[in-house]
């Protein structure tokens, strides 16, 4: 908020208003882009505004529940890449019985939602996004038993599994380096992967 003498303690302050209603946001150039969920769930609306919070503009709807708990939403080159998790409920009990997950690239200039990874049904969220290196999206995918680390070419949409046969429980991308927690046979290892060369280094573990 850039308002003169604003105490930043009520919804009259743009920053407070955004903090209370926004699910996630990111910056591209001289604009903030953010996602405001519908009050009753089932998706929401992408917005943009100036860096001081002024000139708020609705971009368009996105009719899926975003998933940012275990991963990230990436903003770059006028797009937002995000994983989704739509919960299916039992009509009688109201309890969640299944999830439908996908990875989308939302175009902030047109409001188009492009599918990068096809939706899949599972008892837990299928995908989590962890970062991007060059034109490669780094994410994990649930196969019904464990999470696998994968990379997706954002141009061709071809994907490849990294660290074959290893279960991944969280990772972080910093430049060309990826650090991930690998769990195998009840033991945990911290492995560093050079995304440029593919070289793997064990940092910690048996």
């Amino acid at each position: 908020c850039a308002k003169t003498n604003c105490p930043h303690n009520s919804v009259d302050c743009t920053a407070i208003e955004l903090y209370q209603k926004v699910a996630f946001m990111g910056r591209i150039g001289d604009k903030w882009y953010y996602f405001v969920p519908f009050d009753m769930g089932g998706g929401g609306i992408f917005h943009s505004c100036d860096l001081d919070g002024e000139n708020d503009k609705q971009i368009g709807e996105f009719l899926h529940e975003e998933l940012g708990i275990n991963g990230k939403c990436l903003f770059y080159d006028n797009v937002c890449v995000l994983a989704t998790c739509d919960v299916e409920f039992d009509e009688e009990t109201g309890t969640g019985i299944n999830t439908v997950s996908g990875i989308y690239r939302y175009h902030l200039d047109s409001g188009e939602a492009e599918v990068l990874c096809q939706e899949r049904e599972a008892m837990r969220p299928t995908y989590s996004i962890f970062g991007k290196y060059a034109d490669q999206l780094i994410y994990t995918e649930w196969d019904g038993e464990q999470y696998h680390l994968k990379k997706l070419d954002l141009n061709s949409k071809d994907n490849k599994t990294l660290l074959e046969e290893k279960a991944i429980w969280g990772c972080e991308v910093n430049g060309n380096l990826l650090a991930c927690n690998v769990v195998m046979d009840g033991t945990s290892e911290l492995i560093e992967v050079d995304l440029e060369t593919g070289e793997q280094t064990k940092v910690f573990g048996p």
Side-chain angles (χ1 to χ4, degrees):
C1 175
K3 297 176 182 176
T4 304
N5 300 323
C6 179
H8 312 303
N9 60 3
S10 74
V11 292
D12 293 329
C13 169
T14 303
I16 294 294
E17 183 185 14
L18 291 177
Y19 174 77
Q20 291 182 345
K21 70 181 182 181
V22 170
F24 61 89
M25 65 190 304
R27 177 180 174 178
I28 302 176
D30 60 356
K31 295 284 186 182
W32 289 112
Y33 293 89
Y34 55 93
F35 185 73
V36 181
F38 294 134
D39 291 338
M40 299 301 293
I45 299 176
F46 273 97
H47 290 243
S48 69
C49 68
D50 296 339
L51 296 182
D52 61 2
E54 298 300 313
N55 297 317
D56 180 90
K57 176 184 177 182
Q58 290 191 9
I59 296 172
E61 294 183 347
F62 182 64
L63 301 180
H64 297 277
E65 294 288 343
E66 55 82 24
L67 177 65
I69 298 173
N70 299 314
K72 301 177 179 179
C73 300
L74 303 180
F75 288 85
Y76 67 95
D77 295 345
N78 214 28
V79 299
C80 174
V81 176
L82 69 162
T84 63
C85 181
D86 297 312
V87 181
E88 297 180 337
F89 294 94
D90 184 288
E91 293 183 359
E92 294 184 0
T93 65
T95 58
I97 57 175
N98 201 18
T99 66
V100 180
S101 305
I103 295 181
Y104 288 83
R105 178 162 49 191
Y106 189 89
H107 294 263
L108 297 164
D109 53 353
S110 65
E112 175 194 0
E114 174 191 4
V115 178
L116 293 179
C117 290
Q118 293 292 333
E119 288 187 336
R120 289 182 50 199
E121 294 186 3
M123 291 302 295
R124 63 171 69 192
T126 301
Y127 303 103
S128 287
I129 295 171
F130 289 97
K132 173 180 174 289
Y133 172 66
D135 291 325
Q136 303 293 321
L137 180 71
I138 308 300
Y139 67 102
T140 54
E141 181 175 348
W142 177 254
D143 70 355
E145 296 182 358
Q146 62 189 30
Y147 285 101
H148 293 280
L149 184 65
K150 308 190 83 170
K151 66 177 182 178
L152 176 107
D153 188 303
L154 289 164
N155 297 317
S156 67
K157 299 184 184 179
D158 292 334
N159 62 45
K160 178 181 179 181
T161 300
L162 302 170
L163 304 177
E164 291 279 0
E165 305 303 323
K166 295 183 183 293
I168 306 299
W169 294 98
C171 58
E172 183 69 27
V173 177
N174 187 358
N176 66 308
L177 296 179
L178 179 150
C180 58
N181 182 30
V182 176
V183 179
M184 291 294 291
D185 300 324
T187 63
S188 180
E189 299 176 348
L190 179 63
I191 294 180
E192 184 180 83
V193 180
D194 187 320
L195 296 170
E196 180 68 29
T197 65
E199 181 180 357
Q200 302 176 17
T201 305
K202 183 190 294 186
V203 178
F204 174 83

